[in-house]
Amino acid sequence: MAQTIVLANQKGGVGKTTTTVNLAASLAAMERRVLVIDCDPQANASSGLGVNVGEVRNSVYQALFDPREANRGIVGTDMEYLKILPSTPDLVGAEIELSEEKDREFILRAIVEQVGKDYDYILIDCPPSLGLITINALCAATWLLVPLQCEYYAMEGIAQLMKTYSLVKERLNPRLEILGILLTMFDKRNKLSFMVEREVRDHFGELVFTTAIPRNVRLSEAPSHGLPAILYDIRSLGTQSYIALAQEIIEHRRLQPQAQVK
Ligand SMILES: Nc1ncnc2c1ncn2[C@@H]1O[C@H](COP(=O)(O)OP(=O)(O)O)[C@@H](O)[C@H]1O
Ligand SMILES: [Mg+2]
């Protein structure tokens, strides 16, 4: 069964999608079978991996109404080991349309259970909110990865997310653990980046990944070519940082098989 990682932060523009796409691509380059599930109606992860969103017939939206047929929506990418269940703008409606459903928090989990045996990792990209879709993603995963932009209000946003994490873990998904907090858009010319890093590392200690993702223009250019950065500019610092993150996750002591049997 796949290790399922949800990338969540209710703030927009902190690097959720960039991390989903590039961590997924790095794991796939290491010949891990990876599935990205795009749960943001903006569908940036889908277009960033080369999906023509306007032509998608079976997206995560359809899958939410018929999880047993989720496989139908999964499509390939330019990388052999990387597949995606794309999103479409109509996913916006799902928040309301699913709100009366029985077990409405666990529909995405049913999808993950349906397709999980075919993958080593499933990465779920979330919208910038803590609504029903993000709750579904938190209930479908066993690991939470929190991208945190190195900026002034970073810590305030994370308090709300940690509260939601605790509630979900207590009431809905006791298996959910924090995989790590990832510092993104680190700018070494800006003193603030170092201050935020210090504060986050002091507060969260070992939960913060050793790897920090630098601000790097190649990471922001690659999506307009429908490519993960590894296929756009493998030598760029951005690409190399995501490869280092993938390595850190593969070697993560808590993701080792023996750590699962407690
Ligand atoms: N490390 C980075 N360096 C430069 N630009 C980045 C970096 N990470 C993200 N971006 C850019 O910042 C914007 C927001 O990132 P994104 O991953 O879409 O955030 P989110 O999914 O949290 O809303 C995008 O335009 C993206 O290309
Ligand atoms: Mg996004």
Side-chain angles (χ1 to χ4, degrees), residues 11-18 185 213-217 219-220 223:
K11 285 192 78 169
V14 298
K16 290 181 289 297
T17 301
T18 304
M185 294 183 236
I213 307 299
R215 189 173 278 286
N216 177 261
V217 69
L219 291 173
S220 55

Side-chain angles (χ1 to χ4, degrees), residues 101-114:
E101 292 269 311
K102 179 173 161 285
D103 291 332
R104 59 181 180 272
E105 294 93 354
F106 296 104
I107 308 172
L108 194 59
R109 179 185 286 188
I111 295 176
V112 165
E113 282 170 359
Q114 186 69 28

Side-chain angles (χ1 to χ4, degrees), residues 2 5 9 22 32 55 61 73 101 156 165 171 174 179 254:
I5 304 171
N9 187 327
N22 291 298
R32 271 36 176 214
E55 286 176 2
Y61 178 76
E101 292 269 311
E156 289 178 21
Y165 162 74
R171 302 196 185 156
L179 180 60
R254 293 154 73 216

Side-chain angles (χ1 to χ4, degrees), residues 12 94 118 144 183 189 196 215 256:
D118 297 331
L144 169 61
L183 296 162
R189 293 163 307 181
V196 171
R215 189 173 278 286
Q256 300 306 312

Side-chain angles (χ1 to χ4, degrees), residues 4 28 46 53 67 78 105 195 203 218 227:
T4 305
S46 306
V53 175
D78 288 327
E105 294 93 354
M195 286 166 63
H203 194 270
R218 295 309 210 192
L227 293 172

Side-chain angles (χ1 to χ4, degrees), residues 167-241:
L167 277 175
V168 167
K169 186 170 168 71
E170 196 182 302
R171 302 196 185 156
L172 296 168
N173 182 13
R175 301 177 309 171
L176 186 65
E177 300 287 343
I178 298 174
L179 180 60
I181 295 168
L182 176 68
L183 296 162
T184 63
M185 294 183 236
F186 191 96
D187 183 353
K188 63 177 179 354
R189 293 163 307 181
N190 188 340
K191 228 173 88 185
L192 183 60
S193 282
F194 292 95
M195 286 166 63
V196 171
E197 176 176 35
R198 185 77 287 143
E199 193 180 2
V200 173
R201 289 196 191 278
D202 282 350
H203 194 270
F204 290 102
E206 282 204 335
L207 281 180
V208 187
F209 288 107
T210 309
T211 308
I213 307 299
R215 189 173 278 286
N216 177 261
V217 69
R218 295 309 210 192
L219 291 173
S220 55
E221 288 169 355
S224 62
H225 301 268
L227 293 172
I230 201 169
L231 297 186
Y232 177 64
D233 184 354
I234 192 168
R235 282 184 304 268
S236 70
L237 203 53
T239 301
Q240 292 300 319
S241 309

